[in-house]
Amino acid sequence: MKLSRSLIAAASLAVFSVTPALLAHAKTPQQLSAKIDGKLFESDDDGITYLIPTKGVLNLIASTKGASAYPPPKTLTDRLSIICRDFEGKPVKYQAKDFSNSGCEVKFIKGESKKPFGEPVAEYIVRDGKNMLEITAVNGKVIEGKFSFELRDTKTKAVLTITEGTFKAEDRQL
């Protein structure tokens, strides 16, 4: 069966006009990295969850790179969780005072248990100190920023420092 030139031209035009619409919905590659007590911590695209604020709450969670793979890694994974109130969806800088009055909460789980309700190797929460989270850019559902935190172990009270943190995350809720 021969197709007419006008039918081929129409089909080509349809494909090229749909392609930009498909690309507009493509996911933005996500990344998060930081130095935790001087060692590199990285999360990958599948390990980051960012939720656009509901009632002004920013939620950013990142797991060790590869933690979301199948089959899951045999080694224990780590998870960083950042929650800040009063986020209006625009660039903002949270400083030390914002962490001491429950404006922002940070938790780092070292060595998450593979057993349900199992104990992690260590659990750290934000403490008074040199804490900073800066949202440097907001473009629709994508945010970018940088951070540094001082955390303490909930059991031993040991201090953990997170420095040189950067991220780019996209809200992928429907």
Short mmCIF file of all heavy atoms in Angstrom, two decimals, residues 44-115:
data_model
loop_
_atom_site.label_atom_id
_atom_site.label_comp_id
_atom_site.label_asym_id
_atom_site.label_seq_id
_atom_site.Cartn_x
_atom_site.Cartn_y
_atom_site.Cartn_z
N ASP A 44 20.90 9.67 44.34
CA ASP A 44 20.66 9.71 42.90
C ASP A 44 19.21 10.09 42.62
O ASP A 44 18.42 10.31 43.54
CB ASP A 44 21.03 8.39 42.25
CG ASP A 44 20.34 7.19 42.88
OD1 ASP A 44 19.38 7.38 43.65
OD2 ASP A 44 20.75 6.06 42.60
N ASP A 45 18.88 10.15 41.36
CA ASP A 45 17.55 10.60 40.93
C ASP A 45 16.42 9.83 41.62
O ASP A 45 15.45 10.42 42.07
CB ASP A 45 17.45 10.45 39.40
CG ASP A 45 16.22 11.15 38.86
OD1 ASP A 45 16.22 12.39 38.80
OD2 ASP A 45 15.26 10.45 38.50
N ASP A 46 16.56 8.51 41.73
CA ASP A 46 15.50 7.70 42.34
C ASP A 46 15.50 7.76 43.86
O ASP A 46 14.53 7.37 44.49
CB ASP A 46 15.63 6.23 41.90
CG ASP A 46 15.32 6.05 40.43
OD1 ASP A 46 14.55 6.87 39.87
OD2 ASP A 46 15.86 5.11 39.82
N GLY A 47 16.59 8.22 44.46
CA GLY A 47 16.69 8.26 45.91
C GLY A 47 16.23 9.55 46.55
O GLY A 47 16.30 9.70 47.77
N ILE A 48 15.74 10.49 45.75
CA ILE A 48 15.33 11.79 46.27
C ILE A 48 13.82 11.95 46.17
O ILE A 48 13.23 11.69 45.13
CB ILE A 48 16.02 12.94 45.50
CG1 ILE A 48 17.54 12.85 45.70
CG2 ILE A 48 15.49 14.30 45.96
CD1 ILE A 48 18.33 13.80 44.84
N THR A 49 13.23 12.38 47.27
CA THR A 49 11.81 12.69 47.28
C THR A 49 11.67 14.13 47.73
O THR A 49 12.15 14.51 48.80
CB THR A 49 11.03 11.78 48.26
OG1 THR A 49 11.24 10.43 47.89
CG2 THR A 49 9.55 12.10 48.25
N TYR A 50 11.04 14.95 46.91
CA TYR A 50 10.77 16.34 47.25
C TYR A 50 9.27 16.56 47.05
O TYR A 50 8.72 16.21 46.02
CB TYR A 50 11.57 17.30 46.37
CG TYR A 50 11.04 18.72 46.40
CD1 TYR A 50 10.99 19.42 47.60
CD2 TYR A 50 10.58 19.35 45.26
CE1 TYR A 50 10.48 20.71 47.65
CE2 TYR A 50 10.09 20.64 45.30
CZ TYR A 50 10.04 21.32 46.50
OH TYR A 50 9.54 22.59 46.54
N LEU A 51 8.65 17.10 48.06
CA LEU A 51 7.22 17.38 47.98
C LEU A 51 7.01 18.88 48.04
O LEU A 51 7.49 19.55 48.96
CB LEU A 51 6.48 16.70 49.14
CG LEU A 51 6.71 15.20 49.26
CD1 LEU A 51 6.03 14.66 50.51
CD2 LEU A 51 6.22 14.48 48.03
N ILE A 52 6.30 19.41 47.05
CA ILE A 52 5.96 20.83 47.06
C ILE A 52 5.20 21.11 48.34
O ILE A 52 4.37 20.30 48.75
CB ILE A 52 5.16 21.21 45.81
CG1 ILE A 52 6.11 21.37 44.64
CG2 ILE A 52 4.37 22.49 46.02
CD1 ILE A 52 5.52 21.92 43.39
N PRO A 53 5.50 22.20 48.96
CA PRO A 53 4.93 22.46 50.28
C PRO A 53 3.41 22.47 50.31
O PRO A 53 2.77 23.02 49.43
CB PRO A 53 5.49 23.83 50.65
CG PRO A 53 5.92 24.43 49.38
CD PRO A 53 6.26 23.31 48.44
N THR A 54 2.89 21.81 51.31
CA THR A 54 1.47 21.91 51.61
C THR A 54 1.41 22.72 52.88
O THR A 54 2.12 22.43 53.85
CB THR A 54 0.83 20.53 51.81
OG1 THR A 54 1.58 19.83 52.81
CG2 THR A 54 0.84 19.72 50.53
N LYS A 55 0.63 23.75 52.85
CA LYS A 55 0.54 24.66 53.99
C LYS A 55 1.92 25.20 54.37
O LYS A 55 2.25 25.31 55.53
CB LYS A 55 -0.14 23.97 55.18
CG LYS A 55 -1.57 23.58 54.88
CD LYS A 55 -2.24 23.00 56.09
CE LYS A 55 -3.66 22.60 55.71
NZ LYS A 55 -4.36 21.93 56.77
N GLY A 56 2.76 25.45 53.36
CA GLY A 56 4.05 26.09 53.60
C GLY A 56 5.12 25.20 54.21
O GLY A 56 6.04 25.70 54.84
N VAL A 57 5.06 23.88 54.01
CA VAL A 57 6.06 22.99 54.58
C VAL A 57 6.87 22.36 53.45
O VAL A 57 6.32 21.73 52.56
CB VAL A 57 5.40 21.88 55.44
CG1 VAL A 57 6.47 20.92 55.97
CG2 VAL A 57 4.62 22.48 56.59
N LEU A 58 8.19 22.55 53.50
CA LEU A 58 9.11 21.97 52.53
C LEU A 58 9.57 20.61 53.06
O LEU A 58 9.95 20.50 54.23
CB LEU A 58 10.31 22.89 52.36
CG LEU A 58 11.44 22.37 51.49
CD1 LEU A 58 11.90 23.47 50.57
CD2 LEU A 58 12.58 21.85 52.30
N ASN A 59 9.52 19.60 52.24
CA ASN A 59 9.92 18.24 52.59
C ASN A 59 10.93 17.74 51.58
O ASN A 59 10.59 17.61 50.41
CB ASN A 59 8.69 17.33 52.51
CG ASN A 59 8.34 16.70 53.81
OD1 ASN A 59 9.19 16.42 54.63
ND2 ASN A 59 7.06 16.46 54.00
N LEU A 60 12.15 17.43 52.00
CA LEU A 60 13.18 16.92 51.11
C LEU A 60 13.84 15.72 51.79
O LEU A 60 14.34 15.84 52.91
CB LEU A 60 14.23 17.99 50.81
CG LEU A 60 15.38 17.63 49.89
CD1 LEU A 60 14.88 17.28 48.49
CD2 LEU A 60 16.39 18.77 49.82
N ILE A 61 13.81 14.57 51.13
CA ILE A 61 14.37 13.34 51.68
C ILE A 61 15.29 12.72 50.64
O ILE A 61 14.92 12.63 49.46
CB ILE A 61 13.25 12.34 52.04
CG1 ILE A 61 12.27 12.98 53.04
CG2 ILE A 61 13.83 11.05 52.60
CD1 ILE A 61 10.96 12.25 53.16
N ALA A 62 16.48 12.30 51.07
CA ALA A 62 17.44 11.70 50.15
C ALA A 62 18.09 10.48 50.79
O ALA A 62 18.53 10.54 51.94
CB ALA A 62 18.51 12.72 49.78
N SER A 63 18.12 9.38 50.04
CA SER A 63 18.76 8.14 50.49
C SER A 63 20.05 7.92 49.73
O SER A 63 20.24 8.45 48.64
CB SER A 63 17.84 6.95 50.25
OG SER A 63 16.67 7.08 51.02
N THR A 64 20.91 7.09 50.28
CA THR A 64 22.18 6.74 49.66
C THR A 64 21.99 6.36 48.20
O THR A 64 21.05 5.64 47.87
CB THR A 64 22.83 5.55 50.40
OG1 THR A 64 22.94 5.89 51.78
CG2 THR A 64 24.19 5.21 49.84
N LYS A 65 22.88 6.83 47.36
CA LYS A 65 22.85 6.51 45.93
C LYS A 65 22.73 4.99 45.75
O LYS A 65 23.48 4.23 46.35
CB LYS A 65 24.14 7.03 45.28
CG LYS A 65 24.19 6.91 43.79
CD LYS A 65 25.46 7.56 43.27
CE LYS A 65 25.49 7.63 41.78
NZ LYS A 65 26.67 8.36 41.30
N GLY A 66 21.77 4.56 44.94
CA GLY A 66 21.57 3.15 44.67
C GLY A 66 20.60 2.46 45.62
O GLY A 66 20.25 1.30 45.43
N ALA A 67 20.15 3.15 46.66
CA ALA A 67 19.26 2.53 47.66
C ALA A 67 17.92 2.11 47.06
O ALA A 67 17.27 1.20 47.57
CB ALA A 67 19.03 3.49 48.82
N SER A 68 17.50 2.76 45.99
CA SER A 68 16.21 2.45 45.37
C SER A 68 16.31 1.40 44.27
O SER A 68 15.32 1.09 43.61
CB SER A 68 15.58 3.72 44.79
OG SER A 68 15.37 4.66 45.81
N ALA A 69 17.50 0.86 44.08
CA ALA A 69 17.71 -0.13 43.01
C ALA A 69 17.04 -1.46 43.34
O ALA A 69 16.73 -1.76 44.49
CB ALA A 69 19.21 -0.34 42.80
N TYR A 70 16.81 -2.25 42.28
CA TYR A 70 16.33 -3.60 42.49
C TYR A 70 17.29 -4.56 41.81
O TYR A 70 17.61 -4.36 40.65
CB TYR A 70 14.92 -3.80 41.94
CG TYR A 70 14.40 -5.17 42.30
CD1 TYR A 70 13.84 -5.39 43.54
CD2 TYR A 70 14.54 -6.24 41.43
CE1 TYR A 70 13.41 -6.65 43.90
CE2 TYR A 70 14.12 -7.50 41.78
CZ TYR A 70 13.55 -7.70 43.02
OH TYR A 70 13.14 -8.95 43.39
N PRO A 71 17.78 -5.56 42.47
CA PRO A 71 17.53 -5.84 43.88
C PRO A 71 18.19 -4.78 44.77
O PRO A 71 19.17 -4.15 44.36
CB PRO A 71 18.15 -7.22 44.09
CG PRO A 71 19.18 -7.35 43.01
CD PRO A 71 18.70 -6.52 41.87
N PRO A 72 17.66 -4.61 45.98
CA PRO A 72 18.23 -3.59 46.87
C PRO A 72 19.67 -3.91 47.23
O PRO A 72 20.08 -5.07 47.20
CB PRO A 72 17.32 -3.64 48.11
CG PRO A 72 16.53 -4.88 48.01
CD PRO A 72 16.57 -5.34 46.58
N PRO A 73 20.44 -2.88 47.57
CA PRO A 73 21.84 -3.12 47.93
C PRO A 73 21.95 -4.00 49.18
O PRO A 73 21.07 -3.98 50.03
CB PRO A 73 22.39 -1.72 48.19
CG PRO A 73 21.22 -0.84 48.37
CD PRO A 73 20.06 -1.48 47.69
N LYS A 74 23.04 -4.76 49.26
CA LYS A 74 23.25 -5.63 50.41
C LYS A 74 23.77 -4.84 51.61
O LYS A 74 23.62 -5.25 52.75
CB LYS A 74 24.22 -6.74 50.05
CG LYS A 74 23.67 -7.68 48.99
CD LYS A 74 24.59 -8.85 48.76
CE LYS A 74 24.17 -9.76 47.64
NZ LYS A 74 22.82 -10.13 47.51
N THR A 75 24.36 -3.69 51.34
CA THR A 75 24.88 -2.85 52.43
C THR A 75 23.77 -1.97 53.00
O THR A 75 22.77 -1.71 52.33
CB THR A 75 26.03 -1.96 51.93
OG1 THR A 75 25.53 -1.15 50.86
CG2 THR A 75 27.20 -2.78 51.43
N LEU A 76 23.97 -1.50 54.21
CA LEU A 76 23.00 -0.60 54.83
C LEU A 76 23.05 0.75 54.13
O LEU A 76 24.11 1.18 53.65
CB LEU A 76 23.30 -0.44 56.31
CG LEU A 76 23.16 -1.71 57.15
CD1 LEU A 76 23.56 -1.42 58.60
CD2 LEU A 76 21.74 -2.24 57.10
N THR A 77 21.92 1.43 54.08
CA THR A 77 21.86 2.74 53.43
C THR A 77 21.62 3.82 54.48
O THR A 77 21.17 3.55 55.59
CB THR A 77 20.74 2.78 52.38
OG1 THR A 77 19.50 2.49 53.01
CG2 THR A 77 20.99 1.77 51.28
N ASP A 78 21.93 5.05 54.09
CA ASP A 78 21.73 6.21 54.95
C ASP A 78 20.62 7.07 54.36
O ASP A 78 20.32 6.99 53.17
CB ASP A 78 23.02 7.03 55.04
CG ASP A 78 24.20 6.24 55.58
OD1 ASP A 78 23.96 5.27 56.33
OD2 ASP A 78 25.34 6.59 55.25
N ARG A 79 20.01 7.92 55.20
CA ARG A 79 18.92 8.78 54.73
C ARG A 79 18.98 10.13 55.43
O ARG A 79 19.10 10.21 56.64
CB ARG A 79 17.57 8.13 54.98
CG ARG A 79 16.40 8.96 54.50
CD ARG A 79 15.07 8.22 54.57
NE ARG A 79 14.93 7.32 55.68
CZ ARG A 79 14.30 7.62 56.82
NH1 ARG A 79 13.74 8.77 56.98
NH2 ARG A 79 14.22 6.73 57.78
N LEU A 80 18.90 11.21 54.64
CA LEU A 80 18.86 12.58 55.14
C LEU A 80 17.46 13.12 54.91
O LEU A 80 16.92 13.01 53.81
CB LEU A 80 19.89 13.44 54.40
CG LEU A 80 19.91 14.92 54.74
CD1 LEU A 80 20.33 15.15 56.19
CD2 LEU A 80 20.84 15.67 53.78
N SER A 81 16.88 13.71 55.94
CA SER A 81 15.53 14.27 55.85
C SER A 81 15.56 15.72 56.33
O SER A 81 16.06 16.00 57.43
CB SER A 81 14.59 13.43 56.72
OG SER A 81 13.32 14.01 56.78
N ILE A 82 15.00 16.62 55.51
CA ILE A 82 14.95 18.05 55.85
C ILE A 82 13.50 18.52 55.73
O ILE A 82 12.88 18.34 54.68
CB ILE A 82 15.84 18.88 54.89
CG1 ILE A 82 17.28 18.36 54.90
CG2 ILE A 82 15.77 20.36 55.26
CD1 ILE A 82 18.14 18.93 53.78
N ILE A 83 12.99 19.10 56.80
CA ILE A 83 11.63 19.65 56.80
C ILE A 83 11.69 21.07 57.33
O ILE A 83 12.24 21.31 58.41
CB ILE A 83 10.69 18.80 57.69
CG1 ILE A 83 10.63 17.36 57.19
CG2 ILE A 83 9.30 19.42 57.74
CD1 ILE A 83 9.93 16.41 58.14
N CYS A 84 11.16 22.03 56.57
CA CYS A 84 11.14 23.43 57.01
C CYS A 84 9.74 24.01 56.83
O CYS A 84 9.10 23.80 55.81
CB CYS A 84 12.13 24.28 56.22
SG CYS A 84 13.85 23.97 56.68
N ARG A 85 9.31 24.76 57.83
CA ARG A 85 8.02 25.43 57.78
C ARG A 85 8.19 26.82 57.14
O ARG A 85 9.30 27.29 56.98
CB ARG A 85 7.45 25.57 59.19
CG ARG A 85 6.98 24.24 59.76
CD ARG A 85 6.94 24.28 61.29
NE ARG A 85 6.80 22.98 61.89
CZ ARG A 85 7.73 22.05 61.93
NH1 ARG A 85 8.87 22.25 61.36
NH2 ARG A 85 7.53 20.90 62.53
N ASP A 86 7.09 27.44 56.84
CA ASP A 86 7.07 28.80 56.29
C ASP A 86 7.81 28.92 54.96
O ASP A 86 8.45 29.93 54.67
CB ASP A 86 7.64 29.82 57.29
CG ASP A 86 6.86 29.82 58.59
OD1 ASP A 86 5.63 29.61 58.55
OD2 ASP A 86 7.48 30.00 59.66
N PHE A 87 7.72 27.88 54.12
CA PHE A 87 8.30 27.93 52.77
C PHE A 87 7.21 28.40 51.82
O PHE A 87 6.16 27.79 51.72
CB PHE A 87 8.84 26.57 52.35
CG PHE A 87 9.46 26.57 50.98
CD1 PHE A 87 10.56 27.34 50.70
CD2 PHE A 87 8.92 25.79 49.97
CE1 PHE A 87 11.14 27.35 49.43
CE2 PHE A 87 9.49 25.79 48.70
CZ PHE A 87 10.60 26.57 48.43
N GLU A 88 7.48 29.49 51.13
CA GLU A 88 6.49 30.11 50.26
C GLU A 88 6.72 29.82 48.78
O GLU A 88 6.16 30.49 47.92
CB GLU A 88 6.45 31.61 50.51
CG GLU A 88 6.05 31.96 51.93
CD GLU A 88 6.15 33.45 52.23
OE1 GLU A 88 6.57 34.23 51.35
OE2 GLU A 88 5.80 33.82 53.36
N GLY A 89 7.58 28.84 48.48
CA GLY A 89 7.82 28.49 47.08
C GLY A 89 8.69 29.49 46.35
O GLY A 89 8.58 29.64 45.13
N LYS A 90 9.56 30.17 47.07
CA LYS A 90 10.49 31.11 46.44
C LYS A 90 11.83 31.05 47.17
O LYS A 90 11.90 30.49 48.28
CB LYS A 90 9.93 32.53 46.44
CG LYS A 90 9.59 33.08 47.80
CD LYS A 90 8.91 34.43 47.68
CE LYS A 90 8.52 34.95 49.05
NZ LYS A 90 7.80 36.19 48.97
N PRO A 91 12.91 31.56 46.57
CA PRO A 91 14.21 31.50 47.23
C PRO A 91 14.16 32.07 48.65
O PRO A 91 13.50 33.08 48.90
CB PRO A 91 15.12 32.33 46.32
CG PRO A 91 14.51 32.17 44.96
CD PRO A 91 13.01 32.17 45.23
N VAL A 92 14.85 31.37 49.55
CA VAL A 92 14.85 31.77 50.95
C VAL A 92 16.09 31.17 51.62
O VAL A 92 16.61 30.15 51.16
CB VAL A 92 13.56 31.29 51.69
CG1 VAL A 92 13.47 29.78 51.69
CG2 VAL A 92 13.47 31.85 53.09
N LYS A 93 16.54 31.79 52.69
CA LYS A 93 17.68 31.26 53.44
C LYS A 93 17.26 31.05 54.89
O LYS A 93 16.88 31.99 55.57
CB LYS A 93 18.88 32.21 53.36
CG LYS A 93 20.13 31.65 53.99
CD LYS A 93 21.33 32.54 53.72
CE LYS A 93 22.60 31.90 54.23
NZ LYS A 93 23.78 32.72 53.86
N TYR A 94 17.31 29.80 55.34
CA TYR A 94 17.06 29.47 56.73
C TYR A 94 18.42 29.45 57.43
O TYR A 94 19.35 28.82 56.95
CB TYR A 94 16.40 28.09 56.86
CG TYR A 94 15.04 27.99 56.20
CD1 TYR A 94 14.92 27.50 54.90
CD2 TYR A 94 13.89 28.38 56.87
CE1 TYR A 94 13.67 27.39 54.30
CE2 TYR A 94 12.64 28.28 56.27
CZ TYR A 94 12.54 27.79 54.98
OH TYR A 94 11.32 27.68 54.38
N GLN A 95 18.50 30.16 58.57
CA GLN A 95 19.76 30.24 59.29
C GLN A 95 19.63 29.60 60.66
O GLN A 95 18.58 29.08 61.01
CB GLN A 95 20.17 31.70 59.38
CG GLN A 95 20.42 32.29 57.98
CD GLN A 95 20.87 33.73 58.02
OE1 GLN A 95 21.69 34.09 58.84
NE2 GLN A 95 20.34 34.54 57.11
N ALA A 96 20.70 29.64 61.43
CA ALA A 96 20.77 28.96 62.73
C ALA A 96 19.53 29.18 63.59
O ALA A 96 18.99 28.24 64.16
CB ALA A 96 22.02 29.39 63.47
N LYS A 97 19.03 30.40 63.66
CA LYS A 97 17.86 30.69 64.51
C LYS A 97 16.62 29.92 64.07
O LYS A 97 15.77 29.59 64.87
CB LYS A 97 17.58 32.19 64.53
CG LYS A 97 17.16 32.77 63.18
CD LYS A 97 16.85 34.24 63.24
CE LYS A 97 16.52 34.83 61.92
NZ LYS A 97 15.54 34.16 61.10
N ASP A 98 16.52 29.62 62.78
CA ASP A 98 15.36 28.90 62.26
C ASP A 98 15.36 27.42 62.65
O ASP A 98 14.34 26.77 62.59
CB ASP A 98 15.31 29.01 60.73
CG ASP A 98 15.16 30.46 60.28
OD1 ASP A 98 14.23 31.13 60.77
OD2 ASP A 98 15.99 30.90 59.46
N PHE A 99 16.51 26.91 63.07
CA PHE A 99 16.61 25.51 63.46
C PHE A 99 16.39 25.32 64.96
O PHE A 99 15.99 24.26 65.40
CB PHE A 99 17.97 24.93 63.05
CG PHE A 99 18.12 24.85 61.56
CD1 PHE A 99 18.56 25.94 60.83
CD2 PHE A 99 17.78 23.69 60.89
CE1 PHE A 99 18.69 25.87 59.45
CE2 PHE A 99 17.89 23.62 59.50
CZ PHE A 99 18.35 24.71 58.80
N SER A 100 16.61 26.37 65.73
CA SER A 100 16.45 26.24 67.18
C SER A 100 15.01 26.44 67.64
O SER A 100 14.64 26.03 68.71
CB SER A 100 17.37 27.23 67.90
OG SER A 100 17.04 28.55 67.53
N ASN A 101 14.17 27.05 66.81
CA ASN A 101 12.78 27.30 67.23
C ASN A 101 11.78 26.40 66.51
O ASN A 101 10.64 26.76 66.32
CB ASN A 101 12.42 28.78 67.02
CG ASN A 101 12.41 29.16 65.55
OD1 ASN A 101 12.53 28.32 64.68
ND2 ASN A 101 12.25 30.44 65.28
N SER A 102 12.24 25.24 66.09
CA SER A 102 11.39 24.24 65.40
C SER A 102 10.90 24.70 64.04
O SER A 102 9.93 24.16 63.52
CB SER A 102 10.21 23.83 66.29
OG SER A 102 10.68 23.24 67.46
N GLY A 103 11.54 25.69 63.44
CA GLY A 103 11.18 26.11 62.09
C GLY A 103 11.64 25.09 61.07
O GLY A 103 10.98 24.84 60.08
N CYS A 104 12.81 24.50 61.32
CA CYS A 104 13.37 23.47 60.44
C CYS A 104 13.83 22.29 61.28
O CYS A 104 14.39 22.47 62.36
CB CYS A 104 14.56 24.00 59.66
SG CYS A 104 14.15 25.23 58.41
N GLU A 105 13.60 21.11 60.75
CA GLU A 105 14.06 19.88 61.39
C GLU A 105 14.92 19.11 60.40
O GLU A 105 14.59 19.05 59.21
CB GLU A 105 12.86 19.01 61.79
CG GLU A 105 11.94 19.68 62.79
CD GLU A 105 10.67 18.86 63.02
OE1 GLU A 105 10.68 17.64 62.79
OE2 GLU A 105 9.68 19.47 63.43
N VAL A 106 16.00 18.56 60.89
CA VAL A 106 16.89 17.76 60.06
C VAL A 106 17.19 16.47 60.81
O VAL A 106 17.44 16.48 62.01
CB VAL A 106 18.22 18.50 59.77
CG1 VAL A 106 19.15 17.65 58.92
CG2 VAL A 106 17.95 19.84 59.10
N LYS A 107 17.15 15.36 60.07
CA LYS A 107 17.45 14.05 60.65
C LYS A 107 18.32 13.29 59.66
O LYS A 107 18.08 13.33 58.45
CB LYS A 107 16.17 13.27 60.91
CG LYS A 107 16.40 11.94 61.61
CD LYS A 107 15.13 11.13 61.74
CE LYS A 107 14.30 11.64 62.89
NZ LYS A 107 13.17 10.73 63.20
N PHE A 108 19.33 12.62 60.20
CA PHE A 108 20.18 11.76 59.39
C PHE A 108 20.18 10.38 60.02
O PHE A 108 20.52 10.22 61.20
CB PHE A 108 21.62 12.31 59.30
CG PHE A 108 22.52 11.48 58.44
CD1 PHE A 108 22.38 11.49 57.06
CD2 PHE A 108 23.50 10.68 59.00
CE1 PHE A 108 23.21 10.72 56.25
CE2 PHE A 108 24.34 9.91 58.20
CZ PHE A 108 24.19 9.93 56.82
N ILE A 109 19.77 9.39 59.25
CA ILE A 109 19.77 8.01 59.70
C ILE A 109 20.98 7.33 59.08
O ILE A 109 21.09 7.26 57.85
CB ILE A 109 18.48 7.27 59.26
CG1 ILE A 109 17.23 7.98 59.74
CG2 ILE A 109 18.53 5.81 59.70
CD1 ILE A 109 16.98 7.92 61.22
N LYS A 110 21.88 6.86 59.90
CA LYS A 110 23.06 6.13 59.41
C LYS A 110 22.79 4.64 59.54
O LYS A 110 22.45 4.16 60.61
CB LYS A 110 24.29 6.51 60.23
CG LYS A 110 25.57 5.86 59.76
CD LYS A 110 26.74 6.37 60.58
CE LYS A 110 28.01 5.71 60.19
NZ LYS A 110 28.61 6.26 58.99
N GLY A 111 22.89 3.94 58.43
CA GLY A 111 22.72 2.50 58.45
C GLY A 111 21.30 2.07 58.80
O GLY A 111 21.07 1.47 59.83
N GLU A 112 20.36 2.40 57.91
CA GLU A 112 18.97 1.99 58.14
C GLU A 112 18.86 0.48 58.23
O GLU A 112 19.46 -0.24 57.43
CB GLU A 112 18.06 2.47 57.00
CG GLU A 112 17.73 3.93 57.08
CD GLU A 112 16.66 4.31 56.07
OE1 GLU A 112 16.98 4.36 54.88
OE2 GLU A 112 15.53 4.57 56.50
N SER A 113 18.08 0.01 59.16
CA SER A 113 17.87 -1.42 59.32
C SER A 113 17.07 -1.97 58.16
O SER A 113 16.16 -1.32 57.65
CB SER A 113 17.12 -1.70 60.63
OG SER A 113 16.84 -3.07 60.74
N LYS A 114 17.40 -3.18 57.74
CA LYS A 114 16.64 -3.83 56.66
C LYS A 114 15.42 -4.55 57.21
O LYS A 114 14.57 -5.00 56.47
CB LYS A 114 17.54 -4.80 55.90
CG LYS A 114 18.65 -4.06 55.14
CD LYS A 114 19.31 -4.93 54.13
CE LYS A 114 20.37 -4.18 53.39
NZ LYS A 114 19.88 -3.40 52.29
N LYS A 115 15.32 -4.65 58.54
CA LYS A 115 14.17 -5.29 59.18
C LYS A 115 13.12 -4.24 59.50
O LYS A 115 13.46 -3.14 59.93
CB LYS A 115 14.60 -5.97 60.48
CG LYS A 115 15.61 -7.07 60.30
CD LYS A 115 16.04 -7.64 61.63
CE LYS A 115 17.12 -8.68 61.45
NZ LYS A 115 17.67 -9.11 62.74
#
